[in-house]
Amino acid sequence: MTTRMFGAPVHRTEDPRLVTGNGRYLDDLGHDALAAAFVRSPYAHARITDIDVSEAIDVEGVVAIYTYEDLDGKTAERLPLLIPHPTLTNPMTGYALAPELVNHVGEPVAMVVATDRYVAEDACERIRVEYEQLPVVVGIEAARSGEALVHEEAPGNVAAHMVQEVGDTAAAIAAAPHRLTLALEIERSACMPMEGKGVYARWDSDEQSLRIYSSTQTSTGVRAAVAAKLGMPLAKVECIAPDVGGGFGVKIMHPWPEEVLVPWAARRLDADVKWVEDRREHFISSAHERGQLQDVEVGFDDEGRVLGLSVKLWHDNGAYTPYGIIVPIITSTQLLGPYKPGAYKCEFWSLFTNTVIVTPYRGAGRPQGVYAMERTMDAIADYLGKDRADVRSTNFIQPEEMPYDHGLLFQDGRPLMYDSGDFPASLAKLKELVGWDDFAAYRAEAEAAGRRVGLGIGCYVEGTGVGPYEGGHIQIETTGRVNVSTGLTSQGQGHQTVFAQIVAEELGVRMEDVHVTTGDTRRFQYAVGTFASRAAVMSGNAIALAARNVREKALRIAGEALEADPGDLEIVDGIVRVKGDPEAQVALSTIAVLSNPLRYAFDESAKAATQFAGTPDMDKPPVADDEEPGLEGKDFYSPPRATFANGMHAAIVETDPETAEITILRYCVIHDCGRMINPMIVEGQVHGGVAQGVGGALYERMAYDEAGQLLNASFMDFLMPYASEVPHVETDHLETPSPLNPLGIKGAGEAGCIPVTAVIASAIEDAEGFPITSMPISPTELWDLRHRHAAGELPGLRRGSRTTTTAPTA
């Protein structure tokens, strides 16, 4: 019997190939290709006055040198604005090569193509570029002051200004018995995948066609963008994502300048051309995220119930806005988490700075929103002297209120409506897992031993599986091999495993007979991409629907062969048989033969499908009018709106009384992503997310100086947590199926990192007894906060200690 696959903790089938060094990454391709390298701006804001390539042009091995003046057609135009929005009133995108102005350190100015990368880099060093430096805008405070402008077309450095409100927030806060204000900050960081970006292009002059390999999260997007920029028919462009060594959001941005220039040069030179990003390039010319200032005003009653919540946030979008304003939109909507404020208003400004662009990084605006909401919940609990978990419980949306419509528009322009969840049940599980009610005794024991410990909590809701669609195709060969393809890409999530599990379950075949291909436009041309925890929800459901189509066809053909009603048939281990009569059976491989009437017998199995085999019905055509040859099927899944996963985290930390070192003693997670396809892979996603969250809370930040120079653009200076800094993650799960899709699933990829900053801040604050309002936090910063607290500059955490305004009594 076929073992149940959906929901089974199956080991990842792709791992043996990857861990034994047999992966096929971008730099494993094109060993004989010409190599590209780039001259990049050393200044954050400057006018290019001259480019002299004379010393580089004669370097042995140099094939071509290009500046903006060499670009033609649409390649000389600005790069596309991928996600327009009505409130993005001053959008700005860069060029493949800067024509006149550079707006951040690392912006490409010239491109060299040579016989190898070493020659190309040497030639780049010989190119002389003269610049006239301009005023530099670094940081949100400088941007919103408007004293200097990144772009003359954007007054006040404002790219976008957006307001969403439900209810009369000002009135609700004014009438509330209690009010608090908080000023919060999250600094800029970046995701740092092990493999940087890269692109390899092959031009076929006979076919006038282009094949691109890109380390990307959207091969179909790169294909379409390059075709548009190069003025080529889409049918003449292919894009394949090989094995990708991590994406985390930076590789959903497209087309990068290099993704336009390398194919353009390949066509122009009639040669293979490749570029692979080095680590410094990734720091100064890829994408960052997270940087926001957030002001919160909240009104609440004696039980801690939020009656009105007003949030203003200022988002640093860097020098350009090619990916729109998705990050602050997500912050403004996902901030609400599992709670239902009486009235809510969020107003944000997305601001230009002379720094690297901002695009989504795992969590994509949610960590900032959760930080704002959870810090607010802790502040309310502290002010009222109530248990922090109880205050959260008071504000929860209840299970019977699902689906719950917040009355806002989400990042996809569709209603912010939660489809399912049981927040009280999740909180109960979390309290039991971390030992919430026993922590006071644990703290007393620690303090008696001279130790300082704190307990933190954070809740979140995550919009996953956003549209517009994904598709899946399934083909069963005459050998019984099942080929599965979908257009979105893989960066290590385990797609080959979970998609095979879905197909094995739906078709009743052995999992080892299922072979999955992702991110190859030769196999599947219609797709959107891998982001927003959408792969399982979107492609998983599309593949399931395609498998059901194939199953229906297989049973119909088998019914004719077995002279049985298709409803009386089942498929077990790739064999179609009559229920209750296992002797009456036919293999799916044979069904595949019968599904494709043939004229020629090219092997033994094909004989069964030729015109003189069997006893065909002479009154019917070999292929019915509503049929296609072959045992295969395709389908698409397009959701009405996003599905919402959720979870709750708790942590126990210890802060050293002398050194202010912060150690995470325990980390607990309750997670609800609907029905789990593979619990082992879900656990892995949670653990990896928590690791990145710990980095964002305690280590990772982009340190710019006033001139826009990134001071820590190497792994020697940019801190990331090692295995020794990542705690053991204790997990438990709740499964509230989504009613929005056939499989009842929700996304899981980003969940682990979303609340970590809020949780760690909560725990440190609990340990230290004074407010934590800026993250990430280092031991040095914690030491300084202690001294400020001791000097009376910071209030302690006790009832009534914060700046508040009490509503007038009647």
Side-chain angles (χ1 to χ4, degrees):
M1 295 289 288
T2 299
T3 303
R4 176 174 171 81
M5 288 287 102
F6 194 107
V10 177
H11 287 279
R12 291 166 35 125
T13 57
E14 48 269 84
D15 284 356
R17 178 176 63 85
L18 297 176
V19 300
T20 55
N22 291 307
R24 190 168 176 263
Y25 298 90
L26 197 286
D27 205 24
D28 294 318
L29 311 176
H31 292 297
D32 297 326
L34 299 176
F38 292 87
V39 176
R40 300 183 183 277
S41 171
Y43 299 111
H45 198 197
R47 177 171 286 104
I48 300 169
T49 59
D50 185 59
I51 302 177
D52 182 359
V53 302
S54 58
E55 292 185 25
I57 199 74
D58 293 328
V59 171
E60 184 177 354
V62 168
V63 176
I65 299 175
Y66 301 114
T67 65
Y68 174 79
E69 293 179 353
D70 298 300
L71 302 180
D72 51 28
K74 292 186 176 180
T75 60
E77 298 175 1
R78 287 188 181 273
L79 296 169
L81 173 63
L82 292 173
I83 307 178
H85 192 276
T87 65
L88 183 56
T89 52
N90 296 309
M92 193 64 62
T93 62
Y95 293 85
L97 292 172
E100 180 185 5
L101 297 174
V102 290
N103 291 297
H104 68 85
V105 171
E107 189 161 358
V109 173
M111 174 187 184
V112 175
V113 181
T115 51
D116 63 48
R117 180 65 175 264
Y118 299 100
V119 172
E121 294 280 5
D122 287 346
C124 284
E125 292 183 1
R126 293 170 179 252
I127 295 174
R128 301 288 177 252
V129 185
E130 294 183 7
Y131 299 92
E132 174 192 340
Q133 294 190 57
L134 300 172
V136 176
V137 178
V138 176
I140 293 173
E141 293 287 6
R144 68 182 182 181
S145 76
E147 293 179 6
L149 297 180
V150 177
H151 304 286
E152 294 295 333
E153 303 91 331
N157 292 308
V158 176
H161 175 223
M162 184 175 180
V163 180
Q164 289 202 75
E165 184 172 17
V166 178
D168 188 338
T169 308
I173 294 174
H178 311 286
R179 295 191 291 276
L180 287 172
T181 59
L182 295 87
L184 304 167
E185 179 181 10
I186 288 187
E187 295 186 34
R188 178 181 276 229
S189 184
C191 52
M192 295 297 148
M194 287 194 293
E195 179 197 32
K197 306 193 305 291
V199 59
Y200 164 46
R202 304 180 63 183
W203 173 253
D204 187 322
S205 56
D206 292 332
E207 295 287 337
Q208 293 289 291
S209 64
L210 183 67
R211 178 178 295 176
I212 308 164
Y213 296 86
S214 181
S215 183
T216 182
Q217 292 174 234
T218 172
S219 54
T220 53
V222 172
R223 176 190 184 224
V226 171
K229 277 294 182 185
L230 270 59
M232 293 182 61
L234 191 61
K236 289 291 186 178
V237 180
E238 300 169 345
C239 185
I240 300 102
D243 290 323
V244 175
F248 308 116
V250 68
K251 295 177 184 177
I252 192 60
M253 172 45 211
H254 66 282
W256 290 100
E258 301 86 1
E259 285 175 322
V260 172
L261 293 168
V262 170
W264 175 81
R267 183 177 68 173
R268 187 156 176 161
L269 298 172
D270 192 13
D272 293 2
V273 180
K274 183 174 78 170
W275 168 79
V276 176
E277 184 179 61
D278 66 34
R279 186 52 59 180
R280 176 166 172 78
E281 283 183 298
H282 188 82
F283 269 100
I284 65 171
S285 65
S286 287
H288 301 163
E289 214 236 85
R290 299 290 194 260
Q292 287 184 178
L293 296 180
Q294 305 176 146
D295 287 353
V296 180
E297 184 179 11
V298 61
F300 51 98
D301 65 16
D302 292 342
E303 299 302 313
R305 185 175 291 104
V306 174
L307 304 176
L309 178 67
S310 177
V311 179
K312 294 181 179 180
L313 63 93
W314 293 264
H315 171 73
D316 179 352
N317 59 233
Y320 302 111
T321 57
Y323 210 78
I325 51 171
I326 290 298
V327 172
I329 290 176
I330 294 175
T331 296
S332 67
T333 51
Q334 296 280 258
L335 182 149
L336 293 172
Y339 313 114
K340 48 178 180 182
Y344 174 63
K345 178 181 179 180
C346 186
E347 181 175 16
F348 72 74
W349 294 262
S350 193
L351 303 174
F352 288 112
T353 59
N354 290 119
T355 57
V356 175
I357 66 169
V358 165
T359 63
Y361 160 29
R362 192 178 194 176
R366 297 175 186 88
Q368 299 96 305
V370 172
Y371 178 66
M373 190 76 239
E374 295 303 299
R375 298 279 64 220
T376 300
M377 286 292 166
D378 282 352
I380 292 171
D382 173 58
Y383 174 76
L384 294 175
K386 287 184 172 293
D387 183 279
R388 290 169 290 167
D390 290 346
V391 168
R392 287 166 168 82
S393 181
T394 297
N395 287 281
F396 279 159
I397 298 164
Q398 298 302 307
E400 61 271 16
E401 296 178 279
M402 297 292 183
Y404 188 86
D405 189 349
H406 274 292
L408 303 169
L409 292 181
F410 191 41
Q411 60 143 315
D412 55 357
R414 292 178 174 262
L416 183 74
M417 183 182 296
Y418 298 169
D419 48 321
S420 67
D422 189 339
F423 306 134
S426 291
L427 181 60
K429 278 179 169 285
L430 182 68
K431 291 176 68 175
E432 180 180 1
L433 184 62
V434 76
W436 184 271
D437 294 333
D438 300 325
F439 182 73
Y442 173 77
R443 187 205 300 273
E445 292 177 6
E447 289 178 347
R451 298 170 55 216
R452 190 176 296 181
V453 296
L455 173 62
I457 185 173
C459 308
Y460 69 94
V461 171
E462 178 198 2
T464 72
V466 296
Y469 70 89
E470 289 295 340
H473 179 267
I474 294 174
Q475 175 197 52
I476 301 179
E477 296 185 5
T478 57
T479 61
R481 175 187 169 103
V482 182
N483 298 316
V484 181
S485 59
T486 185
L488 58 65
T489 60
S490 298
Q491 301 89 46
Q493 297 93 332
H495 293 160
Q496 281 76 14
T497 303
V498 296
F499 293 158
Q501 287 182 255
I502 291 171
V503 173
E505 177 96 358
E506 294 286 344
L507 285 181
V509 298
R510 299 182 309 164
M511 189 171 162
E512 54 264 37
D513 291 331
V514 182
H515 301 267
V516 178
T517 299
T518 63
D520 188 337
T521 62
R522 297 170 299 179
R523 295 288 300 275
F524 207 97
Q525 298 186 352
Y526 292 95
V528 180
T530 303
F531 59 95
S533 301
R534 69 190 300 272
V537 177
M538 302 301 298
S539 280
N541 277 286
I543 287 168
L545 294 172
R548 293 174 189 182
N549 294 339
V550 173
R551 179 185 178 89
E552 180 184 356
K553 184 173 184 177
L555 294 179
R556 186 168 64 250
I557 296 172
E560 295 174 1
L562 296 172
E563 298 182 345
D565 186 327
D568 294 332
L569 301 178
E570 61 182 355
I571 308 177
V572 179
D573 287 337
I575 304 295
V576 185
R577 67 188 190 187
V578 177
K579 297 174 184 176
D581 184 10
E583 297 301 318
Q585 61 177 253
V586 59
L588 270 178
S589 57
T590 303
I591 301 299
V593 172
L594 299 176
S595 70
N596 184 23
L598 297 173
R599 181 175 179 83
Y600 307 110
F602 43 82
D603 62 15
E604 288 300 314
S605 65
K607 289 181 182 180
T610 57
Q611 57 264 49
F612 297 108
T615 55
D617 186 339
M618 297 303 178
D619 294 327
K620 295 181 178 180
V623 179
D625 291 342
D626 58 348
E627 288 280 3
E628 293 182 358
L631 189 53
E632 58 185 288
K634 181 168 68 175
D635 214 329
F636 291 85
Y637 171 66
S638 181
R641 58 184 182 275
T643 183
F644 286 83
N646 64 85
M648 300 180 188
H649 294 198
I652 298 175
V653 306
E654 181 170 357
T655 57
D656 190 283
E658 296 182 359
T659 65
E661 288 287 335
I662 302 160
T663 304
I664 304 173
L665 303 178
R666 291 187 65 195
Y667 202 95
C668 299
V669 174
I670 304 297
H671 184 242
D672 177 4
C673 60
R675 297 181 65 211
M676 289 188 287
I677 304 170
N678 186 320
M680 186 181 298
I681 287 180
V682 172
E683 293 262 326
Q685 290 280 20
V686 170
H687 292 179
V690 169
Q692 282 190 300
V694 168
L698 298 177
Y699 302 99
E700 300 168 7
R701 71 183 81 198
M702 291 296 176
Y704 278 97
D705 67 13
E706 293 181 354
Q709 297 292 333
L710 188 58
L711 302 179
N712 58 338
S714 78
F715 284 160
M716 291 186 294
D717 302 301
F718 179 79
L719 295 181
M720 292 189 293
Y722 296 162
S724 54
E725 282 76 53
V726 178
H728 170 69
V729 182
E730 305 167 55
T731 57
D732 195 1
H733 299 274
L734 192 69
E735 292 184 283
T736 58
S738 172
L740 297 182
N741 60 74
L743 297 178
I745 60 179
K746 311 173 189 177
E750 299 178 87
C753 74
I754 291 171
V756 182
T757 293
V759 172
I760 299 301
S762 176
I764 294 172
E765 184 173 278
D766 187 48
E768 295 290 331
F770 50 75
I772 303 296
T773 59
S774 181
M775 296 291 278
I777 188 169
S778 68
T780 299
E781 288 161 331
L782 181 56
W783 177 270
D784 290 339
L785 289 175
R786 283 178 178 174
H787 282 271
R788 289 180 57 198
H789 175 57
E793 298 175 17
L794 281 181
L797 290 183
R798 56 187 182 274
R799 186 183 177 96
S801 65
R802 293 174 184 252
T803 302
T804 65
T805 305
T806 305
T809 56

